Amino acid sequence: MLRFLLPLLLSLITLTAHAEVQTREITYRVDSTEFTGYLAFDDAISGKRPGVLVVHEWWGHNAYARKRAEMLAALGYTAFALDMYGTGKLADHPEDAKAFMMAVTGDMPEMKKRFQAGLNMLINHPSVSPGKTAAIGYCMGGGISLNMARAGADLDGVVVFHGSLGTSEPVKPGAVKAEIMVFTGAADPFVPQEQVLAFEQEMESAGVSYTLTSYPGAKHSFTNPDADGFAQRFNMPLAYNEAADDDSWRQMQKFFIRIFR
């Protein structure tokens, strides 16, 4: 019996070893500036699958953004964590992060260009079905993803994790193509209740399909386990919230299953 089972066991071991998330750094250019993104996908899945763009926090394209890309790949998607700042631009202090962020968010045409370049890298990967794409963003990346949806980005969905919801130019009816899902912390001073209410009124007035979940007691960066360390080092109102992190990720998975059906 063993000699009949052995080939089967060996084939299963080989298949298990092969069915892993593949990752690679990819450098690309936007005009004269070089950027470094991070691609993740499961090469054991045959055929094309939806693609998800990951937009990083104000600290820059770091290990956290890459981890989220890997988690998405493990769910069966191809994920690309783009770079909004440029190769090697990582902040280790809030003042540097703020300067990097303002240089990008203060120039809407450049922000669109960098976002679209990352989206193109995702769409052009042979494993991605170009007609099935979404973007997720954290903090600054959430605000950027939302603003790209407001600008009419060709996406099926956008998921905002503790990102800014404010805008000086409320969206007009028919402008948003993506369905929007927002997760925010009720105790986040960077996204106060007035901003949340204004966002909901904006979406409803424009007829945008959206959902918003506000977690009682959750502070800014509630999905990032490194938030507590940042809070202690820089005396910032940040805190990781495991329950909110887990719930928002579960809801995102259901959202993707529905919009990509």
Side-chain angles (χ1 to χ4, degrees):
M1 176 67 73
L2 182 60
R3 68 189 181 91
F4 291 110
L5 287 175
L6 189 57
L8 176 60
L9 291 171
L10 288 174
S11 66
L12 287 173
I13 292 170
T14 301
L15 180 60
T16 302
H18 181 67
E20 295 178 351
V21 170
Q22 304 298 311
T23 63
R24 63 193 61 164
E25 282 190 352
I26 297 178
T27 59
Y28 58 103
R29 303 192 79 82
V30 180
D31 296 331
S32 60
T33 306
E34 182 187 89
F35 296 82
T36 301
Y38 187 75
L39 184 78
F41 65 101
D42 187 343
D43 67 353
I45 298 175
S46 61
K48 295 183 181 293
R49 78 288 314 254
V52 182
L53 195 65
V54 181
V55 191
H56 56 75
E57 298 176 291
W58 75 338
W59 304 107
H61 176 99
N62 56 15
Y64 179 66
R66 294 185 173 201
K67 183 189 82 169
R68 290 297 182 178
E70 292 170 0
M71 291 171 68
L72 286 162
L75 294 174
Y77 304 107
T78 292
F80 184 70
L82 57 62
D83 177 4
M84 291 298 294
Y85 292 162
T87 299
K89 277 195 171 184
L90 276 172
D92 193 43
H93 191 280
E95 289 301 319
D96 296 326
K98 183 178 180 181
F100 288 159
M101 177 184 73
M102 293 307 295
V104 173
T105 59
D107 186 344
M108 188 64 168
E110 182 65 21
M111 185 170 74
K112 287 182 180 178
K113 195 182 295 185
R114 295 183 182 189
F115 182 90
Q116 188 61 49
L119 183 58
N120 290 343
M121 294 300 298
L122 175 70
I123 291 171
N124 291 332
H125 192 265
S127 68
V128 174
S129 176
K132 294 185 176 182
T133 55
I136 71 171
Y138 295 86
C139 301
M140 178 197 79
I144 288 175
S145 299
L146 176 58
N147 281 325
M148 292 302 97
R150 285 181 171 121
D154 191 11
L155 297 162
D156 294 296
V158 164
V159 184
V160 179
F161 296 93
H162 42 83
S164 173
L165 305 178
T167 181
S168 58
E169 299 180 9
V171 70
K172 293 179 173 58
V176 176
K177 298 177 183 177
E179 186 171 340
I180 296 171
M181 176 171 270
V182 171
F183 300 103
T184 193
D188 184 348
F190 298 113
V191 190
Q193 183 64 14
E194 313 86 77
Q195 191 179 111
V196 173
L197 293 175
F199 165 78
E200 291 184 304
Q201 183 177 6
E202 175 196 6
M203 295 294 108
E204 289 166 10
S205 296
V208 177
S209 180
Y210 82 99
T211 59
L212 185 145
T213 301
S214 180
Y215 296 105
K219 296 182 180 180
H220 198 64
S221 291
F222 59 78
T223 66
N224 191 340
D226 295 329
D228 295 335
F230 290 133
Q232 187 173 13
R233 284 174 62 196
F234 303 117
N235 191 31
M236 297 177 70
L238 315 175
Y240 177 62
N241 185 312
E242 185 177 9
D245 180 22
D246 290 346
D247 180 73
S248 58
W249 191 253
R250 280 196 300 270
Q251 287 199 54
M252 180 210 71
Q253 291 179 62
K254 293 178 182 177
F255 177 63
F256 284 164
I257 290 171
R258 179 171 58 78
I259 66 172
F260 291 140
R261 184 175 299 146

